[in-house]
Amino acid sequence: MRQIIAMGGGGFSMEPDNLLLDQYILSQAHTDVPKICFIPTASGDADNYIERFYEAFEKLVCTPSHLSLFSQNFMNLKAYVMQQDILYVGGGNTRNMLLLWKEWGLDTILKAAYKKGIILAGISAGSLCWFEEGVTDSMNNNLSKIDCLGFLTGSNCPHYDGESNRRPSYHELMASGKMKEGYAVDDGVALHFKNEKLSASVSSRPTAKAYAVNEKASKVIEHELPVTYLGDGKQ
């Protein structure tokens, strides 16, 4: 089975004391102790980001590692990637990330990993990268469309409730015909796709929401999706 878990926000980097989404990702692997590899390219392989990944995942039942393209930590890139059970892509500058991935051939390797059944996951840049298009602030800090890997059809907008200009920018791009229909998610929500079909929407926050966003006659329509809260209701 091919799986992608796309988080609009949340996880260890935004909620270090709330690892519900990270635990959910690990639980989808078909092994008791999954090998999970963090890919922090979008942050420029920031040391602090990598340290926070290990701090979080060393508390969980898994074997964590990371992939650095700036300080190469592998002998054979494809072999290193293909031995993992889960690939977890961090947030940051989507444009720089995709350009560097293409230069290294990592975009092609990720497609092979996906076809093999290695779980692809990520937050923000690591969410929208799997779609055909996404809303990014990677260029001059202005929100705009970026072409992505296209493993999933349509578009994606993360941080829907976390950044005030995300929703209106997504609507404007879609209404003007510049962006395809797609999915928007609040911080704390993950969209779980199985074989390119949306299987579930889950959250680490009780009131966080997810939407299918469509366009008809230049009018944008949001359809709220059912979201399962992963906590016990006490948060």
Side-chain angles (χ1 to χ4, degrees):
M1 188 194 319
R2 299 180 300 278
Q3 298 189 73
I4 292 177
I5 302 172
M7 296 184 287
F12 75 92
S13 60
M14 291 184 68
E15 302 176 313
D17 297 320
N18 181 0
L19 301 180
L20 290 173
L21 290 179
D22 301 315
Q23 291 170 322
Y24 178 82
I25 291 170
L26 291 174
S27 72
Q28 304 310 306
H30 301 297
T31 179
D32 293 336
V33 186
K35 292 177 286 185
I36 182 166
C37 181
F38 182 46
I39 305 178
T41 316
S43 69
D45 290 350
D47 290 338
N48 178 262
Y49 203 4
I50 296 169
E51 289 167 4
R52 284 184 287 145
F53 166 76
Y54 281 109
E55 184 178 348
F57 279 86
E58 284 174 351
K59 300 174 185 175
L60 304 175
V61 180
C62 64
T63 303
S65 62
H66 76 281
L67 171 65
S68 176
L69 297 180
F70 289 85
S71 300
Q72 186 178 336
N73 66 338
F74 52 85
M75 293 295 292
N76 182 302
L77 179 57
K78 184 173 184 179
Y80 189 81
V81 169
M82 298 299 280
Q83 70 180 350
Q84 308 297 332
D85 297 306
I86 303 168
L87 300 169
Y88 189 129
V89 178
N93 190 303
T94 311
R95 183 170 183 254
N96 289 351
M97 177 183 75
L98 292 172
L99 288 170
L100 197 57
W101 282 2
K102 186 175 182 179
E103 179 68 22
W104 279 86
L106 183 56
D107 54 342
T108 302
I109 295 171
L110 288 170
K111 188 170 186 178
Y114 179 53
K115 289 181 177 180
K116 182 185 176 183
I118 295 172
I119 296 170
L120 306 181
I123 176 177
S124 193
S127 170
L128 60 91
C129 68
W130 311 120
F131 292 80
E132 291 180 290
E133 303 171 347
V135 179
T136 182
D137 57 3
S138 298
M139 292 164 276
N140 300 318
N141 292 319
N142 294 318
L143 289 173
S144 57
K145 185 192 89 167
I146 188 169
D147 293 324
C148 301
L149 296 176
F151 298 175
L152 298 171
T153 58
S155 63
N156 179 232
C157 182
H159 308 303
Y160 211 47
D161 67 335
E163 299 175 9
S164 61
N165 55 347
R166 286 277 175 174
R167 182 183 245 122
S169 295
Y170 193 37
H171 284 208
E172 182 181 345
L173 286 165
M174 195 175 293
S176 65
K178 296 178 181 177
M179 177 161 278
K180 297 180 179 181
E181 298 176 330
Y183 297 92
V185 291
D186 290 349
D187 289 340
V189 174
L191 301 173
H192 188 175
F193 293 86
K194 295 181 179 179
N195 295 333
E196 297 81 56
K197 301 294 184 182
L198 183 62
S199 172
S201 301
V202 298
S203 76
S204 60
R205 304 179 185 183
T207 61
K209 297 180 179 180
Y211 306 88
V213 187
N214 308 111
E215 180 270 332
K216 186 174 182 180
S218 298
K219 183 178 180 181
V220 175
I221 304 167
E222 293 180 349
H223 300 278
E224 189 172 329
L225 300 171
V227 175
T228 300
Y229 174 52
L230 297 171
D232 58 10
K234 296 179 182 179
Q235 288 183 291

